[in-house]
Amino acid sequence: MHHFLYRNNELYCEDVPIRMIAEKVGTPFYLYSHATLKRHFLIFNEAFEGIERLVCFSAKANTNLAVLKLFESLGGGLDIVSGGELYRGLKAGFSPDRIVYSGVGKRVDEIDYALDAGILMFNVESLEELELIDKRAGLLKTKAPVSIRVNPDVDPKTHPYISTGLKKNKFGIDTETAIQAYRFASKLENIDVTGIDCHIGSQITEAKPFMEALESLNALIDELKQMGIEIRYLDMGGGLGITYNDESPPHPREYARAIVAALKGSHLKLILEPGRVIVGNAGILVTRVLYRKSGKVKEFVIADAGMNDLMRPTLYDAFHAIEPVVATENKTITADVVGPICETGDFLALDRKIPDVKKGDLLVVMSAGAYGFTMSSNYCSRPKAAEVMVKDNRFHVVKARQNYEDLVVGESIPPFFDD
Ligand code: LLP
């Protein structure tokens, strides 16, 4: 059941007309469907039925506290990559032993924070990081649970900016060095070697790269066994893609079936770090048309949301469908849908066939629930958009729109200006 649907030519989120929210909240705003978030999480989690697993939602895709709280209440864990995400996770009520911490650049204060909180596991990405975690754990008189993030050198066949498991990528430790890392880690006094981890990329639309990665991890696990290193967790990372346009990624059930088959009855607890597949199509960005303008060679629709709100089209040339909130006319135009930012790269869509909208009309940018708000910025001093969640016939502002005051929080004029 899809939860962004037209009724009498008007787009609803569940049982709430989007136009009504826009009138109350103003534009632009991100809009999330509670039913869709919940359904996506449950489908993913239940796809691994019968397998001991923990679905750690990847916070970076959508860090709103309400979104995190929902997944927490559904029995999820959390995949974090910073102290800030740990803070949010704990604030949303995640038990620390359901939090895994990935990322190539963990700072000392972040490591201490995670050790102090007592997280489930650090996914370690370098030998130097391993040494540092050992040292900090010693100082804090604790043991750090650690898995090594392996870079299995597989091609995820996705946008180069979001592929992470190739030799040339900065992520993880190559399979040969990983063995060394395990040997080293097993000798460190304050490290508890508990798992193995990989994450090969994002928006992956076929099962094969995951299978290749798993094969390489399985070989490593066997090698570790021979070395006398017994681990408990196998973290497959995230990366399963979604349909933005005409992609047809494997259904989570298909993805799960392939992974479970490749596990061959292993007793390891499976950890998964899905982000996009859970939230991507559970959220949209709602924007209002400010102006129409006909250039010499192009038609422009100027919206009040831009690359500061949704970075993906600019950064990855990503496709996001654009739909009208009120679908009345059949007439279409081919236009660039652009934002108010002073950059040529500020667009939501290029040469896109859309309805013949006019000044004041509302448009929605689809599939914006993942890496939408979290990647937004204050560029050109534009306050960040509001975030709204709908459940049935109710809506709630889960993050207030920023105001001008918010823009200058923490800024001050140095006293030496008065010298
Ligand atoms: N685990 C780790 C260690 C990750 O680095 C990521 C994403 C995930 C899990 C979740 O991946 P997902 O299931 O969402 O594919 N900003 C880009 C995506 C960057 C993904 C970074 N890492 C975009 O908008 O497409």
Side-chain angles (χ1 to χ4, degrees):
M1 165 81 191
H2 195 29
H3 293 286
F4 297 100
L5 282 178
Y6 288 95
R7 294 185 196 167
N8 299 322
N9 290 329
E10 186 169 348
L11 192 60
Y12 278 62
C13 176
E14 303 192 20
D15 296 326
V16 184
I18 292 173
R19 186 179 39 87
M20 200 255 286
I21 306 175
E23 275 158 20
K24 297 233 164 92
V25 176
T27 52
F29 64 95
Y30 277 92
L31 181 59
Y32 310 124
S33 153
H34 181 275
T36 311
L37 291 167
K38 184 171 170 183
R39 184 172 57 102
H40 287 178
F41 183 85
L42 292 179
I43 286 177
F44 192 94
N45 191 25
E46 283 160 15
F48 292 90
E49 197 73 73
I51 296 290
E52 220 204 321
R53 83 283 189 191
L54 182 61
V55 174
C56 293
F57 172 67
S58 191
K60 65 180 84 61
N62 191 318
T63 36
N64 188 281
L65 282 182
V67 172
L68 298 187
K69 178 76 209 161
L70 174 61
F71 299 144
E72 188 277 331
S73 72
L74 296 172
L78 198 66
D79 159 49
I80 59 161
V81 288
S82 68
E85 286 186 355
L86 177 55
Y87 176 78
R88 283 178 174 277
L90 296 173
K91 213 169 165 74
F94 282 94
S95 162
D97 62 6
R98 283 202 265 154
I99 299 179
V100 293
Y101 187 178
S102 314
V104 288
K106 303 178 188 79
R107 279 197 323 242
V108 172
D109 60 302
E110 294 176 308
I111 290 169
D112 286 357
Y113 185 19
L115 284 169
D116 192 49
I119 61 165
L120 177 63
M121 174 164 102
F122 289 86
N123 289 335
V124 172
E125 307 219 14
S126 66
L127 294 169
E128 291 196 355
E129 182 192 333
L130 198 52
E131 257 182 300
L132 179 61
I133 294 178
D134 174 61
K135 194 167 129 211
R136 301 311 298 181
L139 283 170
L140 294 170
K141 302 202 172 17
T142 182
K143 255 191 157 199
V146 151
S147 81
I148 303 291
R149 175 166 174 183
V150 176
N151 182 332
D153 192 28
V154 299
D155 185 359
K157 301 202 174 62
T158 183
H159 192 286
Y161 285 10
I162 52 176
S163 64
T164 48
L166 283 169
K167 250 191 230 146
K168 63 178 179 191
N169 299 138
K170 69 175 175 178
F171 298 97
I173 300 180
D174 66 85
T175 46
E176 277 159 42
T177 317
I179 290 292
Q180 276 176 34
Y182 274 105
R183 194 169 288 124
F184 179 51
S186 66
K187 292 197 188 107
L188 294 173
E189 212 174 305
N190 312 300
I191 296 283
D192 185 12
V193 180
T194 58
I196 190 162
D197 165 56
C198 75
H199 170 79
I200 55 172
S202 198
Q203 182 56 11
I204 298 170
T205 52
E206 38 186 303
K208 200 163 154 255
F210 293 111
M211 295 305 98
E212 286 173 13
L214 193 46
E215 213 172 285
S216 144
L217 256 52
N218 270 335
L220 272 175
I221 293 167
D222 285 344
E223 230 174 298
L224 292 180
K225 232 183 243 157
Q226 283 163 21
M227 288 161 57
I229 300 176
E230 287 282 347
I231 54 167
R232 303 198 290 280
Y233 299 104
L234 168 56
D235 185 338
M236 278 298 293
L240 186 57
I242 61 168
T243 303
Y244 284 97
N245 189 14
D246 52 9
E247 307 89 336
S248 47
H251 187 278
R253 275 191 284 273
E254 206 182 310
Y255 165 80
R257 215 177 300 126
I259 289 181
V260 171
L263 287 178
K264 297 185 203 116
S266 129
H267 296 298
L268 297 179
K269 179 163 176 172
L270 191 59
I271 294 182
L272 300 133
E273 303 173 353
R276 187 188 322 261
V277 69
I278 311 279
V279 293
N281 276 322
I284 61 175
L285 172 64
V286 183
T287 179
R288 203 178 277 283
V289 175
L290 295 174
Y291 306 105
R292 281 281 302 269
K293 175 159 102 171
S294 300
K296 279 269 180 256
V297 293
K298 287 240 187 196
E299 194 61 30
F300 295 104
V301 170
I302 302 162
D304 66 0
M307 65 185 279
N308 55 307
D309 299 297
L310 182 67
M311 183 79 162
R312 303 195 70 259
T314 304
L315 194 57
Y316 315 113
D317 227 350
F319 178 97
H320 286 262
I322 295 191
E323 309 285 352
V325 167
V326 180
T328 44
E329 290 187 45
N330 291 327
K331 203 178 148 209
T332 58
I333 53 166
T334 298
D336 283 6
V337 182
V338 301
I341 298 292
C342 305
E343 299 258 356
T344 303
D346 176 28
F347 56 84
L348 299 171
L350 294 179
D351 297 316
R352 186 70 63 79
K353 207 166 147 187
I354 57 164
D356 189 11
V357 287
K358 55 183 189 313
K359 186 174 180 298
D361 286 353
L362 290 168
L363 288 174
V364 303
V365 184
M366 302 301 288
S367 315
Y371 308 107
F373 187 87
T374 53
M375 290 176 72
S376 67
S377 80
N378 286 126
Y379 187 34
C380 292
S381 284
R382 305 199 70 87
K384 287 200 186 185
E387 291 176 285
V388 179
M389 191 182 285
V390 164
K391 181 170 191 265
D392 303 325
N393 60 359
R394 286 175 293 170
F395 76 89
H396 182 81
V397 177
V398 290
K399 179 153 186 128
R401 181 182 309 288
Q402 280 188 331
N403 57 33
Y404 290 153
E405 271 296 302
D406 294 329
L407 292 178
V408 292
V409 167
E411 292 182 32
S412 64
I413 309 298
F416 51 68
F417 273 24
D418 295 330
D419 291 355

